[in-house]
Amino acid sequence: NAGVTQTPKFQVLKTGQSMTLQCAQDMNHEYMSWYRQDPGMGLRLIHYSVGAGITDQGEVPNGYNVSRSTTEDFPLRLLSAAPSQTSVYFCASSRRQGAGTGELFFGEGSRLTVL
Amino acid sequence: AQSVTQPDIHITVSEGASLELRCNYSYGATPYLFWYVQSPGQGLQLLLKYFSGDTLVQGIKGFEAEFKRSQSSFNLRKPSVHWSDAAEYFCAVGEGNNDMRFGAGTRLTVKP
């Protein structure tokens, strides 16, 4: 009954370091996405994927890279971390893209602090 | 431009009291409407959704929401709040194949 699994749950980085947030889902969902959550701003879409080998930018993509080599996995990479990337990151998935699918399934989040 | 507004950043209610959380949106047509709840340290969980039909929608945990087209609103309600309802609540709105857009959230505190 795993659903969407994110790792790590917590991470502290220094400015300029790189890291990868991992996301895996076991529901055979075509659509996967990454959001960041900041106080007073709700969730903002970073990148998304509609299937293996297909990714696209969301609302706030700068400073982040993604890839989708399998249906199950959708890692988010920070190439050179900046303090502005301090946030809580959520991975989400659904059967396909769009609000019309009815529901996004979320992971438990990854809290990232960049010093 | 499309937008989702939750006017209340933080609401405090006493346990057993009624609750109403507000959500307003700006979209061209009637969009799909959602409420999610985020308990401390957890991801978001869907409470309820509105696609069409009856404008009063029932969800999990005793929550309901009413779609009012004339007011572009989708307010979340609960008749009697429990301490376990303390959480952050997000309204989300979307159209068709487009991704849903989230409001800024309302944090609910429940007083004993």
Side-chain angles (χ1 to χ4, degrees):
Chain A
N1 200 23
V4 179
T5 304
Q6 288 181 235
T7 56
K9 291 193 183 303
F10 301 94
Q11 183 72 49
V12 178
L13 289 177
K14 294 181 180 178
T15 297
Q17 287 185 318
S18 63
M19 77 156 299
T20 298
L21 299 177
Q22 302 290 346
C23 176
Q25 54 91 8
D26 61 359
M27 297 173 282
N28 201 31
H29 284 169
E30 290 182 0
Y31 179 80
M32 296 185 73
S33 55
W34 278 101
Y35 290 85
R36 60 177 290 172
Q37 182 185 23
D38 301 293
M41 304 192 74
L43 278 75
R44 292 181 291 168
L45 183 63
I46 304 172
H47 283 286
Y48 64 91
S49 168
V50 297
I54 306 170
T55 64
D56 207 343
Q57 297 180 350
E59 183 182 355
V60 289
N62 292 341
Y64 307 95
N65 272 1
V66 292
S67 60
R68 184 102 178 264
S69 57
T70 67
T71 300
E72 294 78 20
D73 300 301
F74 190 46
L76 178 72
R77 297 182 187 84
L78 284 71
L79 302 177
S80 179
S84 61
Q85 293 178 304
T86 294
S87 187
V88 180
Y89 292 84
F90 286 98
C91 181
S93 74
S94 63
R95 287 183 290 115
R96 61 182 187 278
Q97 183 182 19
T101 61
E103 182 174 359
L104 276 174
F105 293 84
F106 285 85
E108 293 188 346
S110 299
R111 182 175 294 275
L112 175 66
T113 301
V114 182
L115 303 175
Chain B
Q2 297 172 338
S3 66
V4 184
T5 302
Q6 293 181 246
D8 305 304
I9 296 172
H10 183 205
I11 283 182
T12 299
V13 300
S14 297
E15 191 168 15
S18 64
L19 171 70
E20 182 169 25
L21 303 182
R22 296 182 291 165
C23 175
N24 294 95
Y25 62 89
S26 174
Y27 272 71
T30 299
Y32 303 123
L33 301 162
F34 307 83
W35 275 99
Y36 283 83
V37 60
Q38 182 185 23
S39 299
Q42 301 295 313
L44 279 71
Q45 180 185 18
L46 181 68
L47 279 176
L48 47 78
K49 62 189 176 189
Y50 174 80
F51 279 17
S52 65
D54 191 346
T55 56
L56 185 62
V57 180
Q58 302 297 320
I60 62 172
K61 305 187 181 188
F63 285 91
E64 66 179 26
E66 186 172 13
F67 167 56
K68 293 186 177 180
R69 184 191 308 273
S70 62
Q71 298 177 18
S72 297
S73 69
F74 189 56
N75 294 350
L76 182 71
R77 302 194 294 246
K78 187 169 185 178
S80 178
V81 170
H82 188 262
W83 63 266
S84 60
D85 293 324
E88 188 148 18
Y89 292 81
F90 292 92
C91 180
V93 182
E95 289 179 312
N97 293 328
N98 294 324
D99 295 288
M100 61 181 75
R101 181 178 293 270
F102 287 84
T106 298
R107 184 161 62 91
L108 174 66
T109 298
V110 180
K111 291 191 303 184

